[in-house]
Amino acid sequence: MTPLLVFGVIAVYFIVLLGISHFTSRKADNDTFFTANRQSPWFLVAYGMVGASLSGVTFISVPGEVGNSNWTYLQFVMGNMVGYAVIAFILIPLFYKLRLVSIYEYLKDRFGQRSYYTGSVFFLISQTIGASFRLFLAAVVLQIAFFDAFGIPFFVTVLVTILLIWLYTFRGGIKTIVWTDTLQTTFLLLAVIISIVMISDQMELGFSELITTVSESKMSTIFDWDWRSDRNFYKTFLAGIFITIAMNGLDQNVMQKNLTCKNQKDAQKNIFWFSITFFVSTTLFLALGVLLYKFAIDQQITIPERSDDLYPLLALNHFGILAGVVFLLGIIAAAFSSADSALTALTTSFCVDILDLSNKKTHQKRTRLWVHIGFTFLMFLVIIIFNSLNDSSVVSAVFKVAGFTYGPLLGLFAFGLMTKRAVKDKLVPLVCVLAPIISVILDFNSEQWFNGYQFGFEILLVNAAITFLGLWLLYNKKPGYL
């Protein structure tokens, strides 16, 4: 692909996003930015959430990771499905009953002000890191496809990418994102389908032969029963459940979209249909991974050392112009659909939870704007730092980090929902800081201490359990809040 073609694709795509932003942000106020005035059609939210949940991590890392861990990632996704059911039947009714703008407001009612701040701060840290990791992938692809040709440094690529996102989100917020996500989900799914078709065509595989090639490949092995492995089924399945609850149900980024639906019933339908579509989409990405490796081996193409580089390498250099354009649209869509909602959620949480903006009558829009700018710059810095440190598959890095930062959130909400005990609110921040530190120590020494056992995604459960136990020890004899 020529740099001029890449520039044209990006320019046209961005113009379309700006057009959507213009029509969805007319007469927008803070309520529009934070909740879309609670008027979003559930089916639109469900479809758009697919792109945001898949993100650039799934788009690039999951196909590449097939070469390292086969289809074992699907064990995790199976757990996701159970997690989404918990969200639909437990968390959605609670949040709609309380009419929350930020879901962390629940912690204030249940435990107190410091618990509320603690939950919000852990989300801000978790989401900033996670969203920055995802956007990093898109910036790397744009660097290879366009900016390298002009000798433009990586930090400029990141800056341009994140400024484009800021431009179409700063007015309409979540209302704009609900609509742009539908467009971005469409491009993302088209990218994987067209890539599969292109590979099949070049390898002269019919539909039945394609199915046979994928199903009979050793890379399509799903289950790992070795108890010491970090990909063991039981560990991965359980982690899939609780990471979904933590990273979706207890994440302002995802729940903010659900809370834009008109009522609880619509939000639950949204979760149900979204989860089915997400499972099917992930399976397509895993099938693509098998085909990518087979194509590279058959064509005697050197497989990159970093698994994340395989799909971009083949799509941009070996599948033809159409596949290259579609891939580029897919990665931009994947990155934008996760980063734009993350940026909006970070702004919402900080404004509502930390600044209490909803109760202040003056300078609300100006304050929100400056917060939005601040998080844009913060994400830029995190991406630059991550680029200098990254040496592993991003898909593993994201969930590993999430295991440490989302654990206290899961512990807080689990304790609040499962018990009636009041706690000493002023000590909650200490428990939530100690839990990840202890988890990191356990993870680092697990092989030596536990006869070769390696923690995988289930480190989240350990983290949450430590938080839960710490809260239990902070018993306050005063009556609970609920």
Side-chain angles (χ1 to χ4, degrees):
M1 292 179 65
T2 65
L4 184 61
L5 177 59
V6 174
F7 177 78
V9 171
I10 297 172
V12 171
Y13 186 80
F14 177 62
I15 289 171
V16 173
L17 291 179
L18 277 183
I20 295 175
S21 175
H22 173 73
F23 285 106
T24 56
S25 61
R26 290 181 296 182
K27 299 181 180 179
D29 54 17
N30 276 359
D31 193 40
T32 305
F33 188 97
F34 297 147
T35 68
N37 304 110
R38 302 188 190 274
Q39 293 296 314
S40 299
W42 69 266
F43 51 85
L44 202 67
V45 179
Y47 182 67
M49 280 177 59
V50 173
S53 297
L54 291 174
S55 77
V57 174
T58 303
F59 191 79
I60 292 180
S61 289
V62 168
E65 186 66 18
V66 167
N68 300 324
S69 56
N70 303 324
W71 274 34
T72 54
Y73 182 67
L74 200 61
Q75 301 174 127
F76 179 77
V77 179
M78 292 174 185
N80 293 163
M81 303 298 285
V82 179
Y84 288 127
V86 173
I87 293 171
F89 294 110
I90 296 178
L91 295 180
I92 290 288
L94 173 66
F95 295 154
Y96 266 85
K97 177 183 177 181
L98 298 176
R99 296 283 295 177
L100 303 180
V101 175
S102 166
I103 62 174
Y104 308 111
E105 293 174 281
Y106 163 78
L107 298 176
K108 178 171 62 176
D109 294 335
R110 178 64 178 87
F111 299 122
Q113 193 71 35
R114 294 193 182 183
S115 299
Y116 174 39
Y117 287 150
T118 300
S120 180
V121 168
F122 267 90
F123 162 73
L124 294 171
I125 295 171
S126 304
Q127 191 60 222
T128 299
I129 295 173
S132 299
F133 282 3
R134 295 179 182 101
L135 192 56
F136 165 80
L137 281 176
V140 168
V141 173
L142 292 176
Q143 184 72 28
I144 295 171
F146 178 70
F147 290 91
D148 273 345
F150 298 96
I152 297 173
F154 181 72
F155 81 90
V156 176
T157 305
V158 175
L159 185 62
V160 169
T161 303
I162 203 165
L163 285 178
L164 292 180
I165 293 172
W166 182 85
L167 276 174
Y168 74 85
T169 60
F170 80 96
R171 289 189 300 173
I174 195 65
K175 183 177 180 179
T176 296
I177 288 165
V178 166
W179 287 91
T180 56
D181 275 0
T182 60
L183 175 72
Q184 292 169 166
T185 296
T186 299
F187 280 123
L188 190 149
L189 295 179
L190 279 176
V192 66
I193 292 171
I194 291 176
S195 293
I196 290 174
V197 170
M198 290 291 182
I199 295 174
S200 302
D201 183 61
Q202 292 197 34
M203 295 177 64
E204 298 182 348
L205 297 174
F207 182 74
S208 60
E209 295 172 311
L210 178 68
I211 298 297
T212 301
T213 298
V214 173
S215 61
E216 294 184 354
S217 171
K218 292 182 179 179
M219 292 185 183
S220 297
T221 302
I222 298 174
F223 299 104
D224 182 344
W225 303 107
D226 182 358
W227 70 272
R228 291 173 296 186
S229 170
D230 62 353
R231 295 284 176 171
N232 172 267
F233 170 76
Y234 298 107
K235 293 192 291 183
T236 309
F237 181 78
L238 287 173
I241 296 173
F242 290 100
I243 280 183
T244 296
I245 295 171
M247 295 184 65
N248 290 269
L250 306 181
D251 187 298
Q252 179 67 21
N253 182 4
V254 178
M255 292 308 296
Q256 189 169 359
K257 296 175 185 177
N258 286 290
L259 296 177
T260 67
C261 293
K262 296 178 182 179
N263 51 55
Q264 174 187 318
K265 185 177 180 180
D266 279 1
Q268 290 174 315
K269 286 190 291 186
N270 157 50
I271 290 291
F272 174 74
W273 287 107
F274 153 71
S275 63
I276 293 175
T277 308
F278 175 73
F279 186 89
V280 173
S281 301
T282 303
T283 304
L284 282 176
F285 277 97
L286 291 168
L288 173 62
V290 173
L291 294 172
L292 289 173
Y293 278 99
K294 181 170 178 54
F295 178 85
I297 293 170
D298 289 353
Q299 299 297 316
Q300 297 183 334
I301 299 170
T302 302
I303 296 175
E305 291 185 12
R306 277 172 33 93
S307 60
D308 290 344
D309 295 336
L310 179 63
Y311 189 17
L313 171 70
L314 298 181
L316 296 174
N317 299 290
H318 297 279
F319 292 164
I321 293 178
L322 175 60
V325 169
V326 172
F327 169 82
L328 189 61
L329 284 171
I331 187 59
I332 295 172
F336 279 24
S337 63
S338 59
D340 57 14
S341 58
L343 192 56
T344 301
L346 288 166
T347 301
T348 299
S349 180
F350 194 85
C351 287
V352 174
D353 300 331
I354 307 300
L355 301 181
D356 195 22
L357 196 62
S358 57
N359 291 322
K360 296 178 181 178
K361 298 181 179 180
T362 59
H363 307 301
Q364 288 188 354
K365 292 187 70 172
R366 184 191 304 173
T367 303
R368 189 197 75 208
L369 177 62
W370 279 110
V371 171
H372 205 53
I373 292 172
F375 276 108
T376 302
F377 181 69
L378 180 60
M379 286 177 63
F380 167 76
L381 291 179
V382 173
I383 293 171
I384 297 303
I385 293 171
F386 180 64
N387 182 54
S388 66
L389 300 176
N390 181 58
D391 61 357
S392 63
S393 172
V394 175
V395 69
S396 297
V398 167
F399 288 115
K400 197 70 170 182
V401 170
F404 297 123
T405 57
Y406 277 89
L409 279 176
L410 181 58
L412 276 168
F413 275 87
F415 190 87
L417 292 170
M418 295 173 65
T419 77
K420 297 293 184 180
R421 291 168 71 99
V423 299
K424 297 175 182 177
D425 181 52
K426 65 180 181 180
L427 294 179
V428 168
L430 177 62
V431 169
C432 291
V433 170
L434 288 176
I437 293 175
I438 296 172
S439 299
V440 170
I441 294 172
L442 289 173
D443 181 67
F444 185 78
N445 295 284
S446 64
E447 288 189 73
Q448 179 181 351
W449 291 353
F450 308 123
N451 193 28
Y453 183 90
Q454 299 178 48
F455 281 111
F457 297 149
E458 80 279 8
I459 193 65
L460 171 75
L461 306 183
V462 176
N463 198 342
I466 295 171
T467 305
F468 192 101
L469 177 61
L471 293 173
W472 186 270
L473 296 176
L474 296 183
Y475 176 63
N476 191 339
K477 293 184 179 179
K478 291 187 299 183
Y481 286 88
L482 289 180

